[in-house]
Amino acid sequence: MGYFEDIRAVVRGLPPGKVATYGEVARAAGYPGSGRQVAWALRHASARGIPWQRIVGAGGTTRLPGESGMEQRLLLEMEGVKFAGGRIRMKQFEYRFPKTRAKGGRRAPGRPGSAHTVTGRLRS
DNA sequence: GATATGACGCAAA
DNA sequence: GTTTGCGCCATAT
């Protein structure tokens, strides 16, 4: 199964009325850090039963240019997703992928790499 | 094999 | 609040 298939499977798993970010989809598909490829895959998907409209940028921003963006917003609003100031209320509509089941509701408390001092990469 | 591309993400300015 | 810069990584050419 190729990248495309993985992405497709994950996106198809999104329930109506919920959205996910490219990054989250990529992570759920097993390709963390390749949010761009999610976009690429969706562009090629163009439908095929894939709810592409449920994929939005980080923070709930729509990333589709032109009329496709309006179509996406329309479709999402039909599903019950509400927009606020051009953005989706992610707090309410972001879908959580069933990755690991933490009983406390918190996921992976204290996982490594979440240091507050390091930004993740060296800058300058 | 190397270079270009993109519906991204995130931190710094 | 907006703009800039850079990393990221699978396809395309």
Side-chain angles (χ1 to χ4, degrees):
Chain A
M1 191 148 85
Y3 187 87
F4 184 91
E5 291 292 324
D6 293 332
I7 298 301
R8 184 171 74 172
V10 172
V11 175
R12 222 181 322 125
L14 285 174
K18 291 286 183 180
V19 299
T21 67
Y22 297 90
E24 284 289 302
V25 170
R27 191 147 50 91
Y31 301 84
S34 23
R36 282 188 151 168
Q37 281 52 255
V38 174
W40 186 92
L42 288 177
R43 182 162 238 300
H44 265 251
S46 152
R48 318 233 177 193
I50 305 177
W52 57 270
Q53 71 271 22
R54 291 178 198 150
I55 310 302
V56 297
T61 61
T62 172
R63 293 308 249 180
L64 277 84
E67 312 191 8
S68 302
M70 289 195 299
E71 184 182 343
Q72 179 181 28
R73 172 162 180 169
L74 213 67
L75 289 168
L76 287 176
E77 286 181 328
M78 280 194 304
E79 294 182 357
V81 177
K82 306 240 173 88
F83 283 68
R87 305 198 173 180
I88 298 173
R89 296 183 182 176
M90 293 304 276
K91 270 216 145 157
Q92 188 175 356
F93 298 105
E94 184 177 34
Y95 175 71
R96 294 192 175 189
F97 290 99
K99 265 181 90 162
T100 54
R101 185 75 78 148
K103 24 166 103 171
R106 290 190 158 302
R107 56 155 110 135
R111 60 174 173 151
S114 60
H116 45 78
T117 53
V118 154
T119 60
R121 335 206 117 82
L122 286 183
R123 297 203 111 262
S124 106

